[in-house]
mmCIF file of all heavy atoms in Angstrom:
data_model
loop_
_atom_site.group_PDB
_atom_site.id
_atom_site.type_symbol
_atom_site.label_atom_id
_atom_site.label_comp_id
_atom_site.label_asym_id
_atom_site.label_seq_id
_atom_site.Cartn_x
_atom_site.Cartn_y
_atom_site.Cartn_z
ATOM 1 N N VAL L 1 2.337 -117.200 -143.553
ATOM 2 C CA VAL L 1 1.945 -116.145 -142.633
ATOM 3 C C VAL L 1 1.021 -115.215 -143.421
ATOM 4 O O VAL L 1 1.398 -114.685 -144.476
ATOM 5 C CB VAL L 1 3.169 -115.360 -142.106
ATOM 6 C CG1 VAL L 1 2.724 -114.205 -141.227
ATOM 7 C CG2 VAL L 1 4.126 -116.289 -141.368
ATOM 8 N N LEU L 2 -0.183 -115.074 -142.934
ATOM 9 C CA LEU L 2 -1.177 -114.206 -143.561
ATOM 10 C C LEU L 2 -1.393 -112.988 -142.675
ATOM 11 O O LEU L 2 -1.365 -113.098 -141.445
ATOM 12 C CB LEU L 2 -2.507 -114.936 -143.733
ATOM 13 C CG LEU L 2 -2.495 -116.186 -144.608
ATOM 14 C CD1 LEU L 2 -3.818 -116.928 -144.477
ATOM 15 C CD2 LEU L 2 -2.232 -115.826 -146.050
ATOM 16 N N VAL L 3 -1.611 -111.844 -143.295
ATOM 17 C CA VAL L 3 -1.940 -110.634 -142.545
ATOM 18 C C VAL L 3 -3.200 -110.009 -143.131
ATOM 19 O O VAL L 3 -3.422 -110.074 -144.340
ATOM 20 C CB VAL L 3 -0.787 -109.598 -142.547
ATOM 21 C CG1 VAL L 3 0.422 -110.130 -141.812
ATOM 22 C CG2 VAL L 3 -0.421 -109.182 -143.942
ATOM 23 N N GLN L 4 -4.010 -109.430 -142.258
ATOM 24 C CA GLN L 4 -5.197 -108.723 -142.734
ATOM 25 C C GLN L 4 -4.803 -107.283 -143.000
ATOM 26 O O GLN L 4 -4.194 -106.624 -142.149
ATOM 27 C CB GLN L 4 -6.323 -108.805 -141.716
ATOM 28 C CG GLN L 4 -7.634 -108.297 -142.283
ATOM 29 C CD GLN L 4 -8.800 -108.595 -141.362
ATOM 30 O OE1 GLN L 4 -8.660 -108.647 -140.152
ATOM 31 N NE2 GLN L 4 -9.965 -108.779 -141.965
ATOM 32 N N LEU L 5 -5.140 -106.801 -144.179
ATOM 33 C CA LEU L 5 -4.742 -105.463 -144.601
ATOM 34 C C LEU L 5 -5.560 -104.390 -143.892
ATOM 35 O O LEU L 5 -6.773 -104.504 -143.739
ATOM 36 C CB LEU L 5 -4.873 -105.337 -146.118
ATOM 37 C CG LEU L 5 -3.991 -106.312 -146.913
ATOM 38 C CD1 LEU L 5 -4.295 -106.197 -148.404
ATOM 39 C CD2 LEU L 5 -2.517 -106.050 -146.645
ATOM 40 N N SER L 6 -4.880 -103.343 -143.478
ATOM 41 C CA SER L 6 -5.499 -102.243 -142.734
ATOM 42 C C SER L 6 -6.181 -101.255 -143.680
ATOM 43 O O SER L 6 -6.085 -101.369 -144.912
ATOM 44 C CB SER L 6 -4.434 -101.506 -141.921
ATOM 45 O OG SER L 6 -3.576 -100.793 -142.799
ATOM 46 N N ASP L 7 -6.801 -100.265 -143.094
ATOM 47 C CA ASP L 7 -7.473 -99.214 -143.866
ATOM 48 C C ASP L 7 -6.491 -98.426 -144.735
ATOM 49 O O ASP L 7 -6.903 -97.762 -145.683
ATOM 50 C CB ASP L 7 -8.214 -98.263 -142.934
ATOM 51 C CG ASP L 7 -9.412 -98.923 -142.276
ATOM 52 O OD1 ASP L 7 -9.913 -99.930 -142.814
ATOM 53 O OD2 ASP L 7 -9.857 -98.425 -141.214
ATOM 54 N N ASP L 8 -5.203 -98.499 -144.436
ATOM 55 C CA ASP L 8 -4.183 -97.827 -145.250
ATOM 56 C C ASP L 8 -4.127 -98.382 -146.672
ATOM 57 O O ASP L 8 -3.521 -97.775 -147.551
ATOM 58 C CB ASP L 8 -2.794 -97.987 -144.622
ATOM 59 C CG ASP L 8 -2.667 -97.247 -143.301
ATOM 60 O OD1 ASP L 8 -3.466 -96.315 -143.057
ATOM 61 O OD2 ASP L 8 -1.765 -97.599 -142.518
ATOM 62 N N HIS L 9 -4.773 -99.528 -146.902
ATOM 63 C CA HIS L 9 -4.704 -100.188 -148.206
ATOM 64 C C HIS L 9 -5.938 -99.938 -149.069
ATOM 65 O O HIS L 9 -6.180 -100.673 -150.038
ATOM 66 C CB HIS L 9 -4.450 -101.685 -148.012
ATOM 67 C CG HIS L 9 -3.112 -101.963 -147.397
ATOM 68 N ND1 HIS L 9 -1.975 -102.073 -148.147
ATOM 69 C CD2 HIS L 9 -2.738 -102.110 -146.113
ATOM 70 C CE1 HIS L 9 -0.952 -102.292 -147.344
ATOM 71 N NE2 HIS L 9 -1.385 -102.318 -146.095
ATOM 72 N N ASP L 10 -6.685 -98.913 -148.728
ATOM 73 C CA ASP L 10 -7.840 -98.465 -149.514
ATOM 74 C C ASP L 10 -8.769 -99.607 -149.912
ATOM 75 O O ASP L 10 -9.370 -100.219 -149.057
ATOM 76 C CB ASP L 10 -7.376 -97.669 -150.742
ATOM 77 C CG ASP L 10 -6.599 -96.416 -150.347
ATOM 78 O OD1 ASP L 10 -7.003 -95.760 -149.370
ATOM 79 O OD2 ASP L 10 -5.582 -96.121 -151.000
ATOM 80 N N GLU L 11 -8.860 -99.911 -151.209
ATOM 81 C CA GLU L 11 -9.854 -100.871 -151.706
ATOM 82 C C GLU L 11 -9.594 -102.302 -151.273
ATOM 83 O O GLU L 11 -10.486 -103.142 -151.340
ATOM 84 C CB GLU L 11 -9.996 -100.799 -153.235
ATOM 85 C CG GLU L 11 -8.803 -101.308 -154.014
ATOM 86 C CD GLU L 11 -7.691 -100.290 -154.197
ATOM 87 O OE1 GLU L 11 -7.861 -99.106 -153.871
ATOM 88 O OE2 GLU L 11 -6.626 -100.704 -154.666
ATOM 89 N N THR L 12 -8.380 -102.608 -150.824
ATOM 90 C CA THR L 12 -8.101 -103.970 -150.361
ATOM 91 C C THR L 12 -8.135 -104.089 -148.836
ATOM 92 O O THR L 12 -7.848 -105.156 -148.296
ATOM 93 C CB THR L 12 -6.734 -104.468 -150.896
ATOM 94 O OG1 THR L 12 -5.711 -103.570 -150.460
ATOM 95 C CG2 THR L 12 -6.744 -104.591 -152.415
ATOM 96 N N ALA L 13 -8.506 -103.017 -148.149
ATOM 97 C CA ALA L 13 -8.605 -103.053 -146.683
ATOM 98 C C ALA L 13 -9.531 -104.184 -146.256
ATOM 99 O O ALA L 13 -10.587 -104.396 -146.841
ATOM 100 C CB ALA L 13 -9.113 -101.719 -146.153
ATOM 101 N N GLY L 14 -9.104 -104.924 -145.248
ATOM 102 C CA GLY L 14 -9.899 -106.041 -144.742
ATOM 103 C C GLY L 14 -9.595 -107.355 -145.420
ATOM 104 O O GLY L 14 -9.975 -108.417 -144.915
ATOM 105 N N MET L 15 -8.928 -107.316 -146.557
ATOM 106 C CA MET L 15 -8.561 -108.543 -147.257
ATOM 107 C C MET L 15 -7.321 -109.138 -146.592
ATOM 108 O O MET L 15 -6.701 -108.515 -145.725
ATOM 109 C CB MET L 15 -8.319 -108.267 -148.738
ATOM 110 C CG MET L 15 -9.559 -107.768 -149.461
ATOM 111 S SD MET L 15 -9.267 -107.362 -151.190
ATOM 112 C CE MET L 15 -9.275 -108.999 -151.899
ATOM 113 N N TRP L 16 -6.955 -110.336 -146.984
ATOM 114 C CA TRP L 16 -5.813 -111.048 -146.424
ATOM 115 C C TRP L 16 -4.705 -111.148 -147.457
ATOM 116 O O TRP L 16 -4.964 -111.367 -148.639
ATOM 117 C CB TRP L 16 -6.241 -112.429 -145.953
ATOM 118 C CG TRP L 16 -7.158 -112.335 -144.774
ATOM 119 C CD1 TRP L 16 -8.515 -112.154 -144.800
ATOM 120 C CD2 TRP L 16 -6.786 -112.351 -143.404
ATOM 121 N NE1 TRP L 16 -9.014 -112.059 -143.536
ATOM 122 C CE2 TRP L 16 -7.963 -112.187 -142.645
ATOM 123 C CE3 TRP L 16 -5.578 -112.495 -142.737
ATOM 124 C CZ2 TRP L 16 -7.964 -112.165 -141.264
ATOM 125 C CZ3 TRP L 16 -5.581 -112.490 -141.355
ATOM 126 C CH2 TRP L 16 -6.761 -112.324 -140.633
ATOM 127 N N PHE L 17 -3.465 -111.004 -147.001
ATOM 128 C CA PHE L 17 -2.293 -110.977 -147.864
ATOM 129 C C PHE L 17 -1.301 -112.047 -147.400
ATOM 130 O O PHE L 17 -1.101 -112.241 -146.206
ATOM 131 C CB PHE L 17 -1.637 -109.588 -147.772
ATOM 132 C CG PHE L 17 -0.349 -109.455 -148.528
ATOM 133 C CD1 PHE L 17 -0.345 -109.395 -149.906
ATOM 134 C CD2 PHE L 17 0.861 -109.394 -147.859
ATOM 135 C CE1 PHE L 17 0.849 -109.268 -150.605
ATOM 136 C CE2 PHE L 17 2.057 -109.259 -148.545
ATOM 137 C CZ PHE L 17 2.039 -109.197 -149.922
ATOM 138 N N LEU L 18 -0.700 -112.731 -148.370
ATOM 139 C CA LEU L 18 0.333 -113.718 -148.057
ATOM 140 C C LEU L 18 1.629 -112.969 -147.769
ATOM 141 O O LEU L 18 2.350 -112.576 -148.680
ATOM 142 C CB LEU L 18 0.527 -114.691 -149.225
ATOM 143 C CG LEU L 18 1.608 -115.752 -149.031
ATOM 144 C CD1 LEU L 18 1.210 -116.736 -147.938
ATOM 145 C CD2 LEU L 18 1.870 -116.475 -150.339
ATOM 146 N N GLU L 19 1.898 -112.735 -146.496
ATOM 147 C CA GLU L 19 3.115 -112.025 -146.083
ATOM 148 C C GLU L 19 4.350 -112.878 -146.324
ATOM 149 O O GLU L 19 5.387 -112.374 -146.749
ATOM 150 C CB GLU L 19 3.007 -111.658 -144.600
ATOM 151 C CG GLU L 19 4.163 -110.853 -144.080
ATOM 152 C CD GLU L 19 4.188 -109.421 -144.579
ATOM 153 O OE1 GLU L 19 3.122 -108.860 -144.901
ATOM 154 O OE2 GLU L 19 5.290 -108.859 -144.641
ATOM 155 N N ALA L 20 4.223 -114.172 -146.062
ATOM 156 C CA ALA L 20 5.336 -115.100 -146.289
ATOM 157 C C ALA L 20 4.776 -116.484 -146.544
ATOM 158 O O ALA L 20 3.830 -116.913 -145.890
ATOM 159 C CB ALA L 20 6.263 -115.129 -145.083
ATOM 160 N N GLY L 21 5.339 -117.155 -147.519
ATOM 161 C CA GLY L 21 4.990 -118.543 -147.805
ATOM 162 C C GLY L 21 6.258 -119.357 -147.812
ATOM 163 O O GLY L 21 7.326 -118.876 -148.216
ATOM 164 N N PHE L 22 6.176 -120.591 -147.367
ATOM 165 C CA PHE L 22 7.345 -121.453 -147.273
ATOM 166 C C PHE L 22 7.116 -122.727 -148.076
ATOM 167 O O PHE L 22 6.002 -123.239 -148.135
ATOM 168 C CB PHE L 22 7.638 -121.776 -145.808
ATOM 169 C CG PHE L 22 7.758 -120.536 -144.966
ATOM 170 C CD1 PHE L 22 6.701 -120.099 -144.194
ATOM 171 C CD2 PHE L 22 8.920 -119.781 -144.970
ATOM 172 C CE1 PHE L 22 6.797 -118.947 -143.425
ATOM 173 C CE2 PHE L 22 9.037 -118.626 -144.211
ATOM 174 C CZ PHE L 22 7.962 -118.211 -143.436
ATOM 175 N N GLY L 23 8.175 -123.217 -148.706
ATOM 176 C CA GLY L 23 8.057 -124.414 -149.526
ATOM 177 C C GLY L 23 7.129 -124.161 -150.684
ATOM 178 O O GLY L 23 7.228 -123.120 -151.359
ATOM 179 N N PRO L 24 6.175 -125.070 -150.914
ATOM 180 C CA PRO L 24 5.270 -124.917 -152.066
ATOM 181 C C PRO L 24 4.329 -123.721 -151.968
ATOM 182 O O PRO L 24 3.696 -123.340 -152.944
ATOM 183 C CB PRO L 24 4.488 -126.227 -152.102
ATOM 184 C CG PRO L 24 4.716 -126.887 -150.801
ATOM 185 C CD PRO L 24 5.952 -126.311 -150.189
ATOM 186 N N VAL L 25 4.246 -123.107 -150.804
ATOM 187 C CA VAL L 25 3.358 -121.954 -150.634
ATOM 188 C C VAL L 25 4.095 -120.649 -150.942
ATOM 189 O O VAL L 25 3.484 -119.593 -151.095
ATOM 190 C CB VAL L 25 2.751 -121.947 -149.202
ATOM 191 C CG1 VAL L 25 1.788 -120.799 -149.011
ATOM 192 C CG2 VAL L 25 2.035 -123.268 -148.925
ATOM 193 N N ASP L 26 5.409 -120.708 -151.111
ATOM 194 C CA ASP L 26 6.179 -119.528 -151.491
ATOM 195 C C ASP L 26 5.714 -119.050 -152.865
ATOM 196 O O ASP L 26 5.425 -119.866 -153.740
ATOM 197 C CB ASP L 26 7.669 -119.862 -151.524
ATOM 198 C CG ASP L 26 8.538 -118.644 -151.770
ATOM 199 O OD1 ASP L 26 8.093 -117.522 -151.494
ATOM 200 O OD2 ASP L 26 9.673 -118.836 -152.240
ATOM 201 N N ASP L 27 5.600 -117.753 -153.041
ATOM 202 C CA ASP L 27 5.140 -117.198 -154.317
ATOM 203 C C ASP L 27 5.866 -115.880 -154.563
ATOM 204 O O ASP L 27 5.856 -115.004 -153.701
ATOM 205 C CB ASP L 27 3.630 -116.967 -154.261
ATOM 206 C CG ASP L 27 3.023 -116.718 -155.619
ATOM 207 O OD1 ASP L 27 3.508 -115.813 -156.335
ATOM 208 O OD2 ASP L 27 2.067 -117.416 -155.973
ATOM 209 N N PRO L 28 6.506 -115.727 -155.735
ATOM 210 C CA PRO L 28 7.223 -114.479 -156.021
ATOM 211 C C PRO L 28 6.295 -113.266 -156.150
ATOM 212 O O PRO L 28 6.734 -112.128 -156.028
ATOM 213 C CB PRO L 28 7.943 -114.769 -157.331
ATOM 214 C CG PRO L 28 7.188 -115.890 -157.948
ATOM 215 C CD PRO L 28 6.605 -116.682 -156.818
ATOM 216 N N ASP L 29 5.023 -113.514 -156.405
ATOM 217 C CA ASP L 29 4.025 -112.448 -156.511
ATOM 218 C C ASP L 29 2.907 -112.780 -155.513
ATOM 219 O O ASP L 29 1.853 -113.293 -155.906
ATOM 220 C CB ASP L 29 3.484 -112.378 -157.945
ATOM 221 C CG ASP L 29 2.561 -111.200 -158.149
ATOM 222 O OD1 ASP L 29 2.658 -110.211 -157.406
ATOM 223 O OD2 ASP L 29 1.724 -111.283 -159.068
ATOM 224 N N PRO L 30 3.122 -112.499 -154.222
ATOM 225 C CA PRO L 30 2.173 -112.931 -153.186
ATOM 226 C C PRO L 30 0.757 -112.428 -153.442
ATOM 227 O O PRO L 30 0.556 -111.256 -153.734
ATOM 228 C CB PRO L 30 2.737 -112.312 -151.907
ATOM 229 C CG PRO L 30 4.157 -111.994 -152.208
ATOM 230 C CD PRO L 30 4.216 -111.713 -153.675
ATOM 231 N N PRO L 31 -0.210 -113.335 -153.343
ATOM 232 C CA PRO L 31 -1.599 -112.961 -153.613
ATOM 233 C C PRO L 31 -2.289 -112.302 -152.423
ATOM 234 O O PRO L 31 -1.837 -112.374 -151.286
ATOM 235 C CB PRO L 31 -2.255 -114.309 -153.918
ATOM 236 C CG PRO L 31 -1.443 -115.293 -153.141
ATOM 237 C CD PRO L 31 -0.044 -114.772 -153.136
ATOM 238 N N THR L 32 -3.396 -111.657 -152.734
ATOM 239 C CA THR L 32 -4.317 -111.099 -151.750
ATOM 240 C C THR L 32 -5.606 -111.898 -151.866
ATOM 241 O O THR L 32 -6.032 -112.241 -152.973
ATOM 242 C CB THR L 32 -4.575 -109.610 -152.049
ATOM 243 O OG1 THR L 32 -3.321 -108.923 -151.994
ATOM 244 C CG2 THR L 32 -5.512 -108.990 -151.040
ATOM 245 N N PHE L 33 -6.224 -112.184 -150.736
ATOM 246 C CA PHE L 33 -7.423 -113.033 -150.702
ATOM 247 C C PHE L 33 -8.602 -112.264 -150.118
ATOM 248 O O PHE L 33 -8.441 -111.513 -149.158
ATOM 249 C CB PHE L 33 -7.165 -114.269 -149.840
ATOM 250 C CG PHE L 33 -5.938 -115.045 -150.239
ATOM 251 C CD1 PHE L 33 -4.752 -114.890 -149.534
ATOM 252 C CD2 PHE L 33 -5.960 -115.897 -151.316
ATOM 253 C CE1 PHE L 33 -3.613 -115.589 -149.875
ATOM 254 C CE2 PHE L 33 -4.818 -116.602 -151.682
ATOM 255 C CZ PHE L 33 -3.641 -116.451 -150.961
ATOM 256 N N ALA L 34 -9.790 -112.507 -150.660
ATOM 257 C CA ALA L 34 -10.998 -111.825 -150.191
ATOM 258 C C ALA L 34 -11.323 -112.193 -148.746
ATOM 259 O O ALA L 34 -11.816 -111.361 -147.986
ATOM 260 C CB ALA L 34 -12.175 -112.157 -151.091
ATOM 261 N N ASN L 35 -11.041 -113.442 -148.365
ATOM 262 C CA ASN L 35 -11.324 -113.892 -146.997
ATOM 263 C C ASN L 35 -10.447 -115.105 -146.685
ATOM 264 O O ASN L 35 -9.729 -115.604 -147.550
ATOM 265 C CB ASN L 35 -12.820 -114.194 -146.817
ATOM 266 C CG ASN L 35 -13.315 -115.237 -147.797
ATOM 267 O OD1 ASN L 35 -12.774 -116.334 -147.896
ATOM 268 N ND2 ASN L 35 -14.366 -114.904 -148.539
ATOM 269 N N LEU L 36 -10.524 -115.565 -145.454
ATOM 270 C CA LEU L 36 -9.672 -116.676 -145.032
ATOM 271 C C LEU L 36 -10.041 -117.995 -145.705
ATOM 272 O O LEU L 36 -9.171 -118.846 -145.908
ATOM 273 C CB LEU L 36 -9.701 -116.824 -143.512
ATOM 274 C CG LEU L 36 -8.949 -115.743 -142.746
ATOM 275 C CD1 LEU L 36 -9.138 -115.937 -141.244
ATOM 276 C CD2 LEU L 36 -7.471 -115.735 -143.105
ATOM 277 N N ASP L 37 -11.306 -118.184 -146.059
ATOM 278 C CA ASP L 37 -11.696 -119.410 -146.761
ATOM 279 C C ASP L 37 -11.004 -119.503 -148.115
ATOM 280 O O ASP L 37 -10.529 -120.570 -148.513
ATOM 281 C CB ASP L 37 -13.214 -119.479 -146.950
ATOM 282 C CG ASP L 37 -13.950 -119.730 -145.648
ATOM 283 O OD1 ASP L 37 -13.347 -120.299 -144.705
ATOM 284 O OD2 ASP L 37 -15.144 -119.356 -145.571
ATOM 285 N N VAL L 38 -10.933 -118.388 -148.831
ATOM 286 C CA VAL L 38 -10.261 -118.357 -150.128
ATOM 287 C C VAL L 38 -8.768 -118.609 -149.943
ATOM 288 O O VAL L 38 -8.152 -119.372 -150.697
ATOM 289 C CB VAL L 38 -10.515 -117.006 -150.849
ATOM 290 C CG1 VAL L 38 -9.720 -116.915 -152.131
ATOM 291 C CG2 VAL L 38 -12.002 -116.824 -151.121
ATOM 292 N N ALA L 39 -8.187 -117.997 -148.919
ATOM 293 C CA ALA L 39 -6.765 -118.209 -148.635
ATOM 294 C C ALA L 39 -6.493 -119.669 -148.308
ATOM 295 O O ALA L 39 -5.528 -120.263 -148.806
ATOM 296 C CB ALA L 39 -6.327 -117.313 -147.478
ATOM 297 N N GLN L 40 -7.336 -120.268 -147.489
ATOM 298 C CA GLN L 40 -7.161 -121.671 -147.113
ATOM 299 C C GLN L 40 -7.227 -122.575 -148.333
ATOM 300 O O GLN L 40 -6.400 -123.481 -148.483
ATOM 301 C CB GLN L 40 -8.221 -122.089 -146.100
ATOM 302 C CG GLN L 40 -8.094 -123.535 -145.674
ATOM 303 C CD GLN L 40 -9.127 -123.936 -144.630
ATOM 304 O OE1 GLN L 40 -9.761 -123.085 -144.014
ATOM 305 N NE2 GLN L 40 -9.281 -125.217 -144.438
ATOM 306 N N SER L 41 -8.169 -122.345 -149.209
ATOM 307 C CA SER L 41 -8.290 -123.165 -150.425
ATOM 308 C C SER L 41 -7.042 -123.036 -151.291
ATOM 309 O O SER L 41 -6.534 -124.030 -151.821
ATOM 310 C CB SER L 41 -9.523 -122.757 -151.231
ATOM 311 O OG SER L 41 -10.688 -123.069 -150.524
ATOM 312 N N TRP L 42 -6.531 -121.818 -151.441
ATOM 313 C CA TRP L 42 -5.334 -121.587 -152.246
ATOM 314 C C TRP L 42 -4.136 -122.314 -151.644
ATOM 315 O O TRP L 42 -3.384 -122.981 -152.348
ATOM 316 C CB TRP L 42 -5.069 -120.083 -152.355
ATOM 317 C CG TRP L 42 -3.907 -119.723 -153.210
ATOM 318 C CD1 TRP L 42 -3.920 -119.537 -154.567
ATOM 319 C CD2 TRP L 42 -2.556 -119.495 -152.790
ATOM 320 N NE1 TRP L 42 -2.658 -119.208 -154.997
ATOM 321 C CE2 TRP L 42 -1.801 -119.178 -153.930
ATOM 322 C CE3 TRP L 42 -1.923 -119.532 -151.553
ATOM 323 C CZ2 TRP L 42 -0.442 -118.902 -153.861
ATOM 324 C CZ3 TRP L 42 -0.576 -119.257 -151.491
ATOM 325 C CH2 TRP L 42 0.156 -118.943 -152.639
ATOM 326 N N ILE L 43 -3.982 -122.213 -150.330
ATOM 327 C CA ILE L 43 -2.867 -122.873 -149.649
ATOM 328 C C ILE L 43 -2.984 -124.388 -149.780
ATOM 329 O O ILE L 43 -2.000 -125.075 -150.073
ATOM 330 C CB ILE L 43 -2.796 -122.435 -148.173
ATOM 331 C CG1 ILE L 43 -2.378 -120.961 -148.102
ATOM 332 C CG2 ILE L 43 -1.836 -123.316 -147.389
ATOM 333 C CD1 ILE L 43 -2.548 -120.328 -146.728
ATOM 334 N N GLU L 44 -4.175 -124.924 -149.601
ATOM 335 C CA GLU L 44 -4.377 -126.368 -149.739
ATOM 336 C C GLU L 44 -4.014 -126.849 -151.139
ATOM 337 O O GLU L 44 -3.390 -127.904 -151.300
ATOM 338 C CB GLU L 44 -5.815 -126.741 -149.403
ATOM 339 C CG GLU L 44 -6.119 -126.644 -147.932
ATOM 340 C CD GLU L 44 -7.569 -126.899 -147.585
ATOM 341 O OE1 GLU L 44 -8.436 -126.912 -148.505
ATOM 342 O OE2 GLU L 44 -7.860 -127.063 -146.393
ATOM 343 N N ARG L 45 -4.379 -126.082 -152.171
ATOM 344 C CA ARG L 45 -4.022 -126.463 -153.541
ATOM 345 C C ARG L 45 -2.509 -126.449 -153.713
ATOM 346 O O ARG L 45 -1.941 -127.344 -154.339
ATOM 347 C CB ARG L 45 -4.682 -125.524 -154.554
ATOM 348 C CG ARG L 45 -6.161 -125.796 -154.754
ATOM 349 C CD ARG L 45 -6.718 -125.074 -155.979
ATOM 350 N NE ARG L 45 -6.462 -123.634 -155.962
ATOM 351 C CZ ARG L 45 -7.220 -122.736 -155.332
ATOM 352 N NH1 ARG L 45 -8.283 -123.120 -154.659
ATOM 353 N NH2 ARG L 45 -6.919 -121.457 -155.393
ATOM 354 N N ARG L 46 -1.837 -125.436 -153.174
ATOM 355 C CA ARG L 46 -0.373 -125.340 -153.299
ATOM 356 C C ARG L 46 0.315 -126.495 -152.597
ATOM 357 O O ARG L 46 1.367 -126.956 -153.026
ATOM 358 C CB ARG L 46 0.129 -124.012 -152.719
ATOM 359 C CG ARG L 46 -0.321 -122.765 -153.453
ATOM 360 C CD ARG L 46 0.241 -122.668 -154.863
ATOM 361 N NE ARG L 46 1.646 -122.398 -154.912
ATOM 362 C CZ ARG L 46 2.216 -121.275 -155.303
ATOM 363 N NH1 ARG L 46 1.449 -120.262 -155.693
ATOM 364 N NH2 ARG L 46 3.500 -121.144 -155.342
ATOM 365 N N LEU L 47 -0.284 -126.971 -151.505
ATOM 366 C CA LEU L 47 0.286 -128.084 -150.756
ATOM 367 C C LEU L 47 -0.095 -129.439 -151.344
ATOM 368 O O LEU L 47 0.388 -130.471 -150.891
ATOM 369 C CB LEU L 47 -0.161 -128.017 -149.288
ATOM 370 C CG LEU L 47 0.386 -126.835 -148.495
ATOM 371 C CD1 LEU L 47 -0.295 -126.779 -147.122
ATOM 372 C CD2 LEU L 47 1.900 -126.924 -148.356
#
């Protein structure tokens, strides 16, 4: 589950955050992604 960060997040506003990952996509330190293409590539590598 990815969420786009709001303006409340200052310099990361508009970026995407891994709200929840399941199985191999689970991460104890959830990453933030510049855009959905970067997030998709990261998820594909984890899978």
Side-chain angles (χ1 to χ4, degrees):
V1 176
L2 299 170
V3 295
Q4 190 170 31
L5 299 175
S6 70
D7 291 338
D8 293 339
H9 295 274
D10 299 320
E11 69 276 351
T12 58
M15 297 177 79
W16 292 85
F17 175 73
L18 179 67
E19 183 72 27
F22 306 99
V25 182
D26 186 23
D27 194 307
D29 186 24
T32 300
F33 307 100
N35 58 54
L36 287 176
D37 289 335
V38 175
Q40 180 178 345
S41 293
W42 183 87
I43 291 168
E44 288 175 347
R45 284 193 306 276
R46 295 294 289 250
L47 293 172

